[in-house]
Amino acid sequence: MTVNRRILLVARPDGLVSNDCLQHVEEPVPTLADGEVLVRVLCLSVDPTNRVWMREEDSYLPAVRIGEVVRAAGLGEVVESRREGFAAGDLVMGLPGWQDYWKLTSEDSAQVVPPGIPAEDMLSIYGATGVTAYFGLLEIGRPQPGETVVVSGAAGGVGSVAGQLARVKGAGRVVGIAGTDEKCRWVVEDLGFDACINYKTEDVAERLRETCPDGIDVYFDNVGGEILDEVLNQITIGARIVMCGAISEYTRSESPGLKNYTSLIMQRARMEGFIILDYLDRFVDAIMELAPLVADGTIKYNVEVVDGLELAPDALNRLFTGEHTGKLVVRVSEASAS
Ligand SMILES: NC(=O)c1ccc[n+]([C@@H]2O[C@H](COP(=O)([O-])OP(=O)(O)OC[C@H]3O[C@@H](n4cnc5c(N)ncnc54)[C@H](OP(=O)(O)O)[C@@H]3O)[C@@H](O)[C@H]2O)c1
């Protein structure tokens, strides 16, 4: 290929990402200077944070500037390297963005990953998704044997793993919250949650009381908003709320706020956020613990692959409409036969 297709952010979205916020351009494949690496992108991770990075304000990373390629995590194959530590054929993970070719400058970081693991798995269970579930649950949620754990976004990439890990760690009861009956069925019948609440058709407060009769000890929160507010009313003394994400807030211009936060005082509870980038040096620990659980079928996960860079915007919007189960990735190109 001699052309580098790139998708640039040209306006800030309001709600879902519409076509007029993006410009599809074709540029020559970049040439390299000393210290640079050319990577052909194989697979892109579709993450709610892609939409956060499109907003005006900076978050844990600077906002994507107007005119820049849309930022996204992904995995690619080194085509040419003029930097020590990278060789043609290496698989690397980092933030390639929505484009065919990623030029790694001396300022960009990327990790060489071992061959033999499918790209989709490296971006899901063994990537930021599975590892986020691992550290969020174990470092912040710290479920104790017999405790009740509730997970929102339960049929998504992070939530599906978090709930299963809670069970592995001896939680007495694991309850999911998801947006369709089919997702709830998958979470209970295939993943082994005790119950799952369809927040779109059921009364969440009432169903939480039914499914968590002793209250909620750990809440792994992927969605924020009104569901978090309901959960706050039902936490136990000493409860831990893992603030993993707040997808219900990412496309809103104004937050509904929390009415029930004083419950944290009454229940001497803790609500704590985290960003997985802070755990980069411990990814291997998480992968070493997850791998045997995946191999023996204790932890199951689902990856939906969308084929084609041009479908990345649509894939991102599906995270907000809920039209996927498990982890969503975009395949941009195939790895070379070697
Ligand atoms: N802290 C970190 O470092 C970190 C790292 C990775 C991810 N995260 C966060 O973890 C969360 C899950 O990420 P993921 O990659 O695993 O995504 P995901 O759960 O695979 O996809 C998002 C899901 O959220 C649900 N959803 C969308 N809008 C919603 C709303 N208004 N209310 C309730 N649910 C809604 C949808 O499922 P339904 O059909 O069930 O609605 C959708 O499938 C996100 O908030 C993300 O930002 C945080």
Side-chain angles (χ1 to χ4, degrees):
M1 274 225 280
T2 53
V3 167
N4 185 22
R5 293 173 303 158
R6 313 181 80 211
I7 304 178
L8 312 179
L9 184 72
V10 293
R12 307 252 171 232
D14 178 15
L16 295 179
V17 181
S18 54
N19 285 338
D20 53 359
C21 296
L22 303 170
Q23 188 181 2
H24 296 243
V25 297
E26 293 193 351
E27 295 176 2
V29 175
T31 51
L32 299 185
D34 281 344
E36 295 181 338
V37 182
L38 183 65
V39 176
R40 184 166 56 83
V41 180
L42 302 179
C43 243
L44 293 166
S45 180
V46 186
D47 295 304
T49 197
N50 301 156
R51 176 65 183 78
V52 174
W53 293 333
M54 290 180 183
R55 296 192 332 190
E56 179 87 49
E57 64 275 16
D58 294 343
S59 57
Y60 58 95
L61 289 181
V64 175
R65 287 197 301 262
I66 295 300
E68 280 183 346
V69 74
V70 174
R71 186 190 295 136
L75 187 137
E77 188 176 276
V78 174
V79 178
E80 186 190 344
S81 173
R82 295 181 65 178
R83 177 161 154 192
E84 211 175 308
F86 295 87
D90 280 352
L91 290 179
V92 293
M93 263 174 96
L95 291 170
W98 289 358
Q99 57 187 346
D100 286 315
Y101 286 93
W102 176 35
K103 182 167 83 168
L104 259 168
T105 68
S106 51
E107 263 136 56
D108 296 316
S109 64
Q111 286 79 44
V112 176
V113 299
I117 304 169
E120 303 84 52
D121 296 354
M122 283 307 300
L123 292 182
S124 57
I125 187 75
Y126 302 128
T129 302
V131 174
T132 293
Y134 180 91
F135 285 115
L137 186 79
L138 302 187
E139 298 273 315
I140 298 171
R142 300 189 303 278
Q144 304 301 306
E147 285 191 331
T148 294
V149 177
V150 171
V151 181
S152 55
V158 174
S160 59
V161 177
Q164 293 177 86
L165 258 180
R167 167 69 79 226
V168 169
K169 294 295 170 185
R173 178 169 277 271
V174 181
V175 174
I177 302 176
T180 68
D181 287 345
E182 177 48 29
K183 287 184 180 185
C184 287
R185 188 210 61 72
W186 181 63
V187 157
V188 172
E189 291 178 18
D190 296 358
L191 306 188
F193 287 43
D194 295 285
C196 186
I197 300 167
N198 181 339
Y199 73 92
K200 289 187 178 164
T201 59
E202 298 186 282
D203 180 327
V204 174
E206 188 183 307
R207 290 283 289 130
L208 282 173
R209 270 189 293 277
E210 278 168 25
T211 55
C212 307
D214 300 324
I216 298 162
D217 301 300
V218 176
Y219 175 46
F220 193 104
D221 186 20
N222 286 313
V223 307
E226 293 85 351
I227 294 176
L228 169 60
D229 220 16
E230 290 294 356
V231 168
L232 278 168
N233 270 337
Q234 299 192 39
I235 54 176
T236 57
I237 291 176
R240 284 83 63 205
I241 297 180
V242 184
M243 297 185 71
C244 176
I247 194 165
S248 75
E249 308 265 351
Y250 298 166
T251 50
R252 277 177 173 154
S253 46
E254 215 169 298
S255 166
L258 291 177
K259 295 189 206 71
N260 303 320
Y261 73 93
T262 53
S263 178
L264 293 168
I265 306 168
M266 308 312 159
Q267 302 297 68
R268 295 76 128 184
R270 178 186 288 255
M271 192 157 137
E272 187 176 338
F274 73 105
I275 292 294
I276 196 56
L277 294 180
D278 297 337
Y279 292 88
L280 274 182
D281 59 344
R282 294 174 59 196
F283 263 47
V284 172
D285 301 346
I287 292 169
M288 294 297 279
E289 190 167 345
L290 288 170
L293 295 169
V294 170
D296 72 10
T298 304
I299 289 187
K300 303 183 181 74
Y301 64 99
N302 189 52
V303 184
E304 273 193 53
V305 180
V306 172
D307 262 309
L309 175 66
E310 66 286 0
L311 294 179
D314 179 57
L316 178 57
N317 283 337
R318 284 172 61 189
L319 296 180
F320 294 87
T321 56
E323 293 163 75
H324 72 104
T325 300
K327 174 73 189 174
L328 198 53
V329 304
V330 171
R331 189 184 293 126
V332 178
S333 66
E334 297 289 346
S336 64
S338 59

